Amino acid sequence: MTRNPQLNKHGELQHLITLEGLSREILAAIFDTAEPFAEVAEREIKKVPLLRGKSVFNLFFENSTRTRTTFEIAAKRLSADVINLNISTSSASKGESLLDTVDNLAAMQADMFVVRHASSGAPYLIAQHLAATGRDHIHIVNAGDGRHAHPTQGLLDMYTIRHYKKDFTRLTVAVVGDLLHSRVARSQIHALQALGVPEVRVIGPRTLLPTGVVEMGGRGSLRVFHDMREGLKGVDVVMMLRLQNERMAGALLPSPQEYFKYYGLTPEKLALAKPDAIVMHPGPMNRGIEIDSAVADGAHSVILPQVTFGIAVRMAVMSMLAGN
Amino acid sequence: MKIHIKNGRVIDPANAIDRRADVFIAKGKIVGVGDTAPADWGGHGANATIDASDCIVCPGLVDIAARLREPGFEYRATLESEMAAAVAGGVTRLACPPDTDPPLDEPGLVEMLRHRARLPGFAHVHPVGALTVQLKGERLTEMAELAEAGCVAFGQANRSIVDTQVLLRAMQYAATFGFPVWLQPQDPFLARDGVAHDGEIAARLGLAGIPVAAETIALATILHLARETGARVHLRRISSAAGLEMIVAARAAGIGVSCDVTINHIHLCDEDIGFFDPHARLDPPLRAASDRDALRAGLASGAINALCSDHTPVDDDAKQTPFDEAEPGATGLELLLPLTLKWATELKLPLATALARVTADPARILGVGGGTLAIGTAADICVFDPQATSRISRETLKSQGKNTPFLGQELKGRVRCTLIEGHLAYDGAFA
């Protein structure tokens, strides 16, 4: 098998495409780098010059206002020039291939592509293409590819856990909801296991858990629960996943109401977790479907801090890949 | 024209021959296999002599699944390019599936293809006719007319007949005339949107899965209907251990079905997808390592009757895309022999057993001759050096399809020359 394309020949991070295979040391280095950036956000002038003169292209082949905005803010706080491209509404609809688009943008002296694509593995294709054509000085940050990975989301989630819980090796963490279609869940699971979380539970109906989910984590096997009440007992962290609209009623689930009844996070279900448990959600939330407003806005929720930390973590990743 | 192939090791599985011998050819036919020329060989000797020292002389390979892409997909491959690939791979006889554009559902199209392919130096081409009009699974084709035009069997390529009543009728009608029906067992609903084997790898990579049940459910349907109708059924491209078990059990219960597997599926599994390598996007999907191992063993035991290339030239634009958007398929005609040898070596099989799966056995499924060095048959012969290696590269592949998971690999087994009806169709010395 070829070398993991996100690492250079010294084993250092060249791109950030997945959290799978990243060591605890690399993850810790990212968090440590993010700490001071979280402080930058508190200052009157929220800019540092680490990416001054660099061009960051936000290449969004799939719409996402929120993720694109957080990357844009992160890049701007690092003093980079940011170009936003919504390709789903331009080149792709004119029939241009993914690699043609990449070639054109690379020719505009890009230093970094932040890529979101509906197909799993699309950032690898871009990375391999750039390497094969001698342009691997362009860094790629995966902003979500199909069901495969959303590494910066996984990192900001870990950063948030670290902020509130300190020691990963004593935690029980539950990931709840639509794991089958979730790139966020895959990135979370890889990171949780790399950071030494001894018990990772996945909770959901069988239609929303992938075949082979138990082995998905690789290093340690996951504990699978179909009964949310059982699964939440004694957990330190509850990570809720978003349920896409188109999956709420059909062959995967009968109705949003039934889903909420059995897999929605309510105060009553949350009471089964540890008293100091934290509740996370990658957003945007479907209130009343996967999460009750009383929980989303309640004392256990760290959903808004997640968003704030997300900018610091993205600044850390971008500066580590391409910093001056 | 008389040709003398001397000093080679002759392996002819159809006639249980595996020994050092010479082969004598006259007027396009094999006239002798042995140490001395036949009595009527004549005093002047051969017009041409091929020195096959260190080489194996075997029947030309028979590939029962090779897409030539004509008509309709000439930007992917042409008859000329793929015929050159066939003989370079030692393949002298092949069957092509009906999923051309338009599909092979009219006698005129079949006649045209047969006519275009009937040139000296071209492999024998046997079209598989469409079982239903436009391969839509709704109306039967004129099978008897198509058979007269040259179709050797009827099938749907990799498409399914969703309507089981149509499938029953199609098998009944084919059985009326004794035509073989070639079907790929895959339930279209369970396979819908899927791009990889539904297992650990697909779960980890976030690829939509195709469960093994897509194969076994379709197999159950086909096997039941085969019993009901008595149709001669050949099952194309088995991908799973569970599927193979069902076929073995059906045979034990008296249902006479044959089956094949592809060169990709006996060597690769879902782990070979690696970092989303679109070359590993195949139909059916590469399954688990345990499935691959069962297929390798099944092919060795003869439970799987034939090994095919499933040659599918795909242009670069359709492959250089994210995995789930890539078109399934790989080039294979030039890999059939080396990958047969690789499998034989890895399983420590006698060469004669291995070569049977790409000569005599598929010829029996095709039912139109070939796959033998019997006296009096057409001199379709492959001479290859089993030790010589070649590196599979875009530059050396003659096929217009340059995509295969084996690109860059060194494989043993290089074709020295290929004869078709006594014509030197490929000479590796000039390749």
Side-chain angles (χ1 to χ4, degrees):
Chain A
M1 196 179 287
T2 48
R3 188 182 75 218
N4 186 329
Q6 71 179 345
L7 304 177
N8 66 19
K9 54 179 176 288
H10 308 295
E12 299 156 346
L13 216 51
Q14 162 80 7
H15 310 295
L16 180 68
I17 297 177
T18 176
L19 299 184
E20 184 179 5
L22 294 192
S23 65
R24 190 181 307 200
E25 291 69 32
I26 289 184
L27 296 177
I30 295 170
F31 301 147
D32 293 343
T33 310
E35 295 274 4
F37 290 137
E39 288 156 27
V40 168
E42 311 284 314
R43 288 190 225 151
E44 186 125 351
I45 295 173
K46 300 183 173 63
K47 278 207 180 198
V48 290
L50 290 168
L51 291 191
R52 183 179 292 155
K54 305 264 169 141
S55 301
V56 173
F57 283 56
N58 277 333
L59 276 180
F60 278 60
F61 293 88
E62 193 183 65
N63 283 324
S64 157
T65 311
R66 180 176 311 218
T67 306
R68 203 205 60 219
T69 306
T70 58
F71 272 106
E72 186 175 347
I73 293 167
K76 284 183 170 165
R77 286 191 184 161
L78 292 166
S79 310
D81 297 315
V82 183
I83 297 93
N84 286 317
L85 292 145
N86 252 343
I87 302 180
S88 54
T89 53
S90 61
S91 319
S93 55
K94 292 177 195 150
E96 188 176 52
S97 83
L98 170 59
L99 295 183
D100 281 339
T101 304
V102 165
D103 284 341
N104 274 280
L105 297 174
M108 299 175 195
Q109 276 83 38
D111 295 293
M112 181 181 291
F113 289 145
V114 175
V115 180
R116 163 154 303 185
H117 199 285
S119 290
S120 298
Y124 277 120
L125 180 77
I126 298 173
Q128 284 157 344
H129 177 68
L130 291 176
T133 50
R135 293 174 296 180
D136 46 7
H137 56 277
I138 303 174
H139 303 278
I140 292 167
V141 177
N142 182 2
D145 61 327
R147 308 174 179 186
H148 170 236
H150 194 348
T152 58
Q153 179 71 44
L155 287 170
L156 77 89
D157 292 337
M158 298 309 116
Y159 185 90
T160 306
I161 295 175
R162 189 171 92 149
H163 182 85
Y164 290 100
K165 295 290 173 192
K166 316 297 178 210
D167 186 359
F168 283 98
T169 63
R170 296 165 173 274
L171 297 180
T172 301
V173 179
V175 183
V176 186
D178 181 4
L179 274 90
L180 179 65
H181 302 97
S182 178
R183 51 193 170 217
V184 173
R186 287 175 173 81
S187 287
Q188 288 169 337
I189 289 168
H190 291 308
L192 288 168
Q193 299 205 323
L195 292 166
V197 171
E199 185 168 340
V200 179
R201 302 179 181 176
V202 297
I203 304 174
R206 287 173 193 272
T207 46
L208 296 182
L209 299 179
T211 312
V213 64
V214 177
E215 296 88 6
M216 208 166 88
R219 273 168 248 210
S221 60
L222 304 175
R223 284 190 71 191
V224 179
F225 291 84
H226 304 298
D227 179 343
M228 189 170 178
R229 287 182 170 79
E230 275 301 308
L232 288 183
K233 274 183 190 158
V235 302
D236 299 280
V237 179
V238 186
M239 306 176 88
M240 299 304 296
L241 298 171
R242 177 178 163 77
L243 183 68
Q244 300 286 348
N245 281 326
E246 65 269 24
R247 303 190 175 118
M248 288 180 195
L252 290 165
L253 293 172
S255 71
Q257 293 78 16
E258 181 154 312
Y259 184 75
F260 181 66
K261 185 171 175 192
Y262 289 89
Y263 297 99
L265 187 61
T266 57
E268 172 251 330
K269 285 188 204 127
L270 181 58
L272 297 162
K274 288 224 179 98
D276 63 344
I278 55 170
V279 173
M280 300 166 66
H281 191 294
M285 283 184 284
N286 293 302
R287 290 168 183 261
I289 292 170
E290 69 248 2
I291 192 162
D292 192 315
S293 283
V295 175
D297 306 328
H300 297 271
S301 170
V302 297
I303 295 170
L304 291 176
Q306 278 180 274
V307 178
T308 309
F309 293 147
I311 292 169
V313 167
R314 286 175 178 127
M315 287 172 77
V317 168
M318 291 169 128
S319 65
M320 286 169 77
L321 293 179
N324 290 321
Chain B
M1 181 80 175
K2 290 192 288 189
I3 302 172
H4 178 193
I5 305 175
K6 64 176 191 184
N7 302 331
R9 172 180 165 195
V10 174
I11 300 183
D12 179 14
N15 298 295
I17 294 172
D18 181 358
R19 63 185 169 88
R20 222 218 53 74
D22 290 3
V23 177
F24 301 90
I25 297 157
K27 292 181 187 156
K29 293 194 185 321
I30 295 168
V31 295
V33 177
D35 302 327
T36 52
D40 56 354
W41 181 247
H44 303 295
N47 308 93
T49 302
I50 295 168
D51 184 0
S53 302
D54 302 324
C55 283
I56 287 167
V57 181
C58 72
L61 272 51
V62 179
D63 188 352
I64 56 172
R67 286 186 170 87
L68 305 175
R69 295 302 202 181
E70 273 202 37
F73 299 101
E74 286 83 355
Y75 61 98
R76 292 206 160 129
T78 61
L79 207 51
E80 286 74 18
S81 64
E82 301 323 288
M83 286 291 124
V87 294
V91 174
T92 57
R93 189 175 296 275
L94 58 87
C96 54
D99 56 348
T100 48
D101 182 20
L104 300 178
D105 62 357
E106 284 184 16
L109 292 166
V110 175
E111 277 160 13
M112 175 58 84
L113 179 61
R114 292 266 291 162
H115 175 75
R116 295 247 303 120
R118 206 173 290 130
L119 283 176
F122 274 18
H124 308 280
V125 173
H126 301 286
V128 175
L131 192 57
T132 58
V133 174
Q134 294 288 312
L135 300 172
K136 283 184 178 165
E138 293 163 1
R139 291 191 301 132
L140 305 188
T141 54
E142 296 170 329
M143 289 182 220
E145 295 279 349
L146 285 162
E148 280 186 29
C151 288
V152 290
F154 294 90
Q156 289 282 111
N158 55 351
R159 295 180 215 172
S160 310
I161 296 182
V162 180
D163 184 331
T164 43
Q165 188 179 58
V166 174
L167 181 59
L168 169 70
R169 300 256 157 88
M171 288 166 75
Q172 282 175 328
Y173 192 77
T176 306
F177 297 90
F179 300 144
V181 178
W182 292 15
L183 296 170
Q184 181 174 341
Q186 181 155 288
D187 182 87
F189 298 109
L190 285 172
R192 185 168 54 204
D193 303 330
V195 296
H197 169 61
D198 192 28
E200 187 190 332
I201 302 286
R204 193 167 58 75
L205 296 178
L207 295 172
I210 300 177
V212 167
E215 180 163 296
T216 51
I217 284 176
L219 264 176
T221 305
I222 294 167
L223 292 170
H224 275 289
L225 295 180
R227 187 206 292 269
E228 290 292 316
T229 59
R232 286 169 57 198
V233 172
H234 174 71
L235 297 155
R236 309 172 68 234
R237 300 191 275 183
I238 299 304
S239 73
S240 70
L244 179 57
E245 264 177 43
M246 286 175 70
I247 293 167
V248 171
R251 284 194 193 122
I255 306 172
V257 290
S258 53
C259 64
D260 66 54
V261 67
T262 87
I263 48 177
N264 299 307
H265 290 79
I266 59 164
H267 288 294
L268 306 172
C269 64
D270 58 357
E271 290 164 31
D272 293 294
I273 294 172
F275 298 104
F276 301 92
D277 182 1
H279 288 128
R281 173 101 163 84
L282 298 167
D283 177 26
L286 293 171
R287 295 209 177 271
S290 55
D291 291 303
R292 177 201 55 198
D293 294 344
L295 297 174
R296 289 156 76 83
L299 184 65
S301 73
I304 298 175
N305 306 79
L307 180 60
C308 67
S309 75
D310 197 23
H311 179 73
T312 304
V314 175
D315 55 305
D316 290 344
D317 287 345
K319 270 295 185 199
Q320 288 171 6
T321 71
F323 188 86
D324 60 358
E325 292 175 13
E327 185 168 317
T331 196
L333 278 166
E334 293 155 88
L335 290 140
L336 181 59
L337 177 68
L339 290 177
T340 302
L341 299 174
K342 180 176 160 72
W343 161 72
T345 306
E346 287 167 0
L347 268 73
K348 301 188 171 63
L349 292 175
L351 263 180
T353 306
L355 289 172
R357 304 291 182 264
V358 287
T359 58
D361 297 338
R364 205 170 295 125
I365 293 166
L366 266 182
V368 286
T372 174
L373 296 179
I375 308 296
T377 60
D380 298 339
I381 296 173
C382 170
V383 179
F384 68 92
D385 182 339
Q387 294 307 322
T389 61
S390 28
R391 194 178 155 82
I392 307 303
S393 73
R394 299 175 67 87
E395 292 70 35
T396 52
L397 286 169
K398 299 222 174 345
S399 167
Q400 211 162 305
K402 306 294 184 190
N403 291 300
T404 153
F406 297 94
L407 271 185
Q409 293 200 19
E410 289 274 347
L411 296 174
K412 273 189 181 179
R414 191 189 294 165
V415 175
R416 179 75 67 80
C417 65
T418 305
L419 277 70
I420 294 175
E421 293 182 340
H423 288 278
L424 188 61
Y426 173 78
D427 187 343
F430 300 101

